[in-house]
Amino acid sequence: MSALPASARHYSAWSLLRARFAGSGYWRPLWAGRKLKPAYDVVIVGAGGHGLASAFHLARDQGMRRIAVLEKRLVGYGNVGRNTTIVRSNYLLPENHYFYEDSLRRWETLSHDLNYNVMYSPRGVVDLALTDDSMLALARRGNAMRLAGIDAELLDLAALERFAPELEARRKRRFPIVGALLQRRGGTVRHDAVAWGYARAASALGVDIIEDCEVTGVRTAGNAATGVESTRGYVQADRVVFATAGHTGMIGAMLGTPLPIETHLLQAMVSEPIKPLINSVYVYVSPGHGETYICQSDRGGLVMGGHLDGFPSYTREGVWHRLEDVVQGALELFPRIGGVKILRQWAGTNDMTMDGSPIMDRLRYDNVFVNAGWCYGGFKAIPASGAAFAKFVASGTAPDLIRAYRLSRFASGHLLDEPGQGPFPVRL
Ligand SMILES: Cc1cc2nc3c(=O)[nH]c(=O)nc-3n(C[C@H](O)[C@H](O)[C@H](O)COP(=O)(O)OP(=O)(O)OC[C@H]3O[C@@H](n4cnc5c(N)ncnc54)[C@H](O)[C@@H]3O)c2cc1C
């Protein structure tokens, strides 16, 4: 036992209690508690998935060393720790499916890259069709993916029954299932492990992660930012990156540049743990109740979500009737879960763009960058976004993979109108 590293040893309840009072450091921090320095090459605002992944890739791949991530609350407090953990690349538009496929490939090796287990679980993402028309739409999406070399399978009822026996696809229902689109490599990744894994790896490369530090303003001179004002004082910066997800509208206001973004609530919920029942991620749009997606966590909880609440808000609470819709959709799909209790419900603030696609661009000044507009699908984008955005910030040129996500598309009308398989895009 003594040959094991301290982190891998088994501790008795007594030794844990003793350590708690002796303060002997059994629980080692994952990242270094560094002090804020007066100046950096890059200041990243927001320690969510996108901010931390960008910091990691700037340090590891772009050779930058003086990097700080400033977070107004805690690492993982935002949407990166609130989402329903689904990853996939099943988009129709080439700009989207190549980008999300790059991300999915990176998820496959991320635990190794970060030396931290993020629990990627390729359990399959299944989009269900209830009509022949929706089956045709799924076939169109699947064919576009296959032409791009991305795995997609159109399942008729017999194939769906074989892949997902727990669904009882042929069972008599009010809204019968006619088939599905399956992406086998899609699945789930443990979300807080992603935040901690990136934070730990970035910190090991020298990135300063400063919590409880809100950025309140940007100082500028001519066409450039010179630094940021924060609740911990002024910080000089050669480049400033905003990766603030649901707060990006406020950043636009801070810089005097209104953005085509609204902040909307998306809620999710988890049941008490039950024995393994649901093997994949299912997406189901009920004619009566709207969208429900459901999967089962490794602890056994049924994790569910659906549509946005439908009005702009920062409350992180979520309206009751949306919870009811989601649960009723889940019951239509799996009547057997009827007696299971919901344990927790929560919401996150999503930065919704008009076309459902993200924005990765400069913002008003040559050295100010914005990584935003992730809507309800930005978790799965984190690895690709981090790598590509770091290249953009370091070189000043957006890589091909993210060039379509420029802000000017809203002025020119070249929208990437694809809400993914999530709910409706917000029309401002
Ligand atoms: C309920 C729910 C379910 C979802 N499910 C999925 C899913 O299954 N799959 C998927 O791909 N996506 C999903 N998403 C979307 C995904 O979580 C987000 O798109 C993504 O996490 C946003 O990027 P982020 O991780 O960088 O954001 P965040 O984690 O929100 O990071 C932004 C950070 O910026 C900080 N910040 C804001 N303003 C300031 C400031 N002025 N100064 C300093 N710090 C600041 C915030 O405190 C926050 O920590 C879901 C979202 C929700 C809410």
Side-chain angles (χ1 to χ4, degrees):
M1 174 146 167
S2 58
L4 287 174
S7 56
R9 280 186 214 137
H10 172 77
Y11 299 114
S12 67
W14 168 243
S15 67
L16 286 173
L17 197 65
R18 196 181 47 201
R20 164 69 184 82
F21 289 106
S24 64
Y26 274 57
W27 301 101
R28 265 183 246 142
L30 285 177
W31 51 91
R34 299 209 180 90
K35 290 226 165 69
L36 186 62
K37 300 186 184 88
Y40 290 93
D41 294 334
V42 186
V43 163
I44 296 174
V45 186
H50 292 273
L52 292 167
S54 300
F56 168 71
H57 284 284
L58 277 166
R60 193 193 69 172
D61 306 337
Q62 307 301 328
M64 300 193 87
R65 282 291 165 264
R66 298 193 319 148
I67 303 166
V69 182
L70 311 187
E71 165 56 49
K72 74 173 174 178
R73 305 291 291 262
L74 303 161
V75 167
Y77 180 83
N79 292 318
V80 70
R82 290 168 188 267
N83 62 68
T84 39
T85 75
I86 300 163
V87 300
R88 56 185 172 83
S89 62
N90 55 0
Y91 283 76
L92 172 70
L93 300 180
E95 293 85 349
N96 285 333
H97 60 223
Y98 284 121
F99 172 75
Y100 287 101
E101 176 61 12
D102 183 89
S103 219
L104 194 51
R105 291 209 181 122
R106 290 173 187 273
W107 284 120
E108 287 167 354
T109 58
L110 194 67
S111 295
H112 182 263
D113 294 345
L114 298 179
N115 189 24
Y116 196 82
N117 187 1
V118 297
M119 298 168 71
Y120 165 57
S121 165
R123 57 183 70 183
V125 172
V126 181
D127 268 295
L128 296 164
L130 303 188
T131 63
D132 291 343
D133 279 355
S134 51
M135 200 62 187
L136 281 177
L138 291 182
R140 182 167 172 247
R141 179 142 58 101
N143 286 337
M145 291 164 63
R146 288 168 74 117
L147 283 171
I150 302 169
D151 72 301
E153 292 165 54
L154 201 63
L155 306 182
D156 60 15
L157 269 187
L160 183 57
E161 251 183 344
R162 275 195 303 277
F163 177 77
E166 74 266 28
L167 197 58
E168 301 173 294
R170 285 185 209 260
R171 195 169 40 79
K172 214 167 175 293
R173 310 164 178 259
R174 184 166 169 219
F175 304 114
I177 296 169
V178 300
L181 181 67
L182 164 67
Q183 184 175 33
R184 282 182 199 262
R185 291 161 53 245
T188 58
V189 181
R190 177 145 182 101
H191 51 191
D192 37 18
V194 172
W196 299 333
Y198 272 117
R200 190 179 84 136
S203 174
L205 291 166
V207 173
D208 289 353
I209 297 170
I210 314 289
E211 295 175 302
D212 198 14
C213 179
E214 178 171 0
V215 168
T216 52
V218 177
R219 266 196 220 171
T220 59
N223 206 21
T226 53
V228 297
E229 307 284 357
S230 83
T231 47
R232 289 177 183 256
Y234 176 68
V235 190
Q236 201 182 310
D238 291 347
R239 300 171 178 88
V240 178
V241 171
F242 284 101
T244 49
H247 294 83
T248 311
M250 292 179 181
I251 304 303
M254 187 191 282
L255 288 165
T257 306
L259 291 169
I261 284 179
E262 275 191 5
T263 295
H264 282 248
L265 294 182
L266 183 68
Q267 53 175 306
M269 58 223 68
V270 64
S271 76
E272 61 186 330
I274 58 171
K275 289 247 160 44
L277 171 72
I278 297 179
N279 295 318
S280 301
V281 177
Y282 294 99
V283 183
Y284 169 74
V285 183
S286 156
H289 305 292
E291 187 186 72
T292 291
Y293 56 90
I294 182 166
C295 60
Q296 190 163 13
S297 79
D298 296 313
R299 265 187 296 186
L302 303 176
V303 181
M304 293 170 267
H307 278 313
L308 297 172
D309 278 4
F311 54 90
S313 170
Y314 289 96
T315 61
R316 288 192 173 131
E317 284 169 4
V319 291
W320 175 252
H321 66 80
R322 181 65 70 229
L323 184 150
E324 280 187 326
D325 280 344
V326 169
V327 169
Q328 284 173 11
L331 282 172
E332 276 175 16
L333 205 52
F334 293 103
R336 279 184 289 170
I337 64 174
V340 177
K341 293 188 178 60
I342 297 289
L343 274 196
R344 288 188 292 120
Q345 170 274 358
W346 65 93
T349 48
N350 286 5
D351 46 343
M352 301 300 299
T353 56
M354 282 182 284
D355 60 359
S357 297
I359 297 169
M360 288 200 259
D361 207 342
R362 289 193 166 80
L363 187 57
R364 185 158 183 173
Y365 299 97
D366 283 348
N367 61 343
V368 175
F369 299 82
V370 65
N371 176 319
W374 290 105
C375 302
Y376 29 64
F379 176 66
K380 72 176 92 66
I382 288 169
S385 153
F389 207 66
K391 213 182 258 183
F392 181 23
V393 172
S395 70
T397 306
D400 287 347
L401 198 63
I402 60 169
R403 201 162 289 165
Y405 298 139
R406 57 190 173 267
L407 193 48
S408 62
R409 73 179 189 271
F410 296 100
S412 67
H414 292 90
L415 299 182
L416 297 169
D417 218 341
E418 183 172 18
Q421 72 196 115
F424 50 88
V426 179
R427 303 289 169 196
L428 300 179

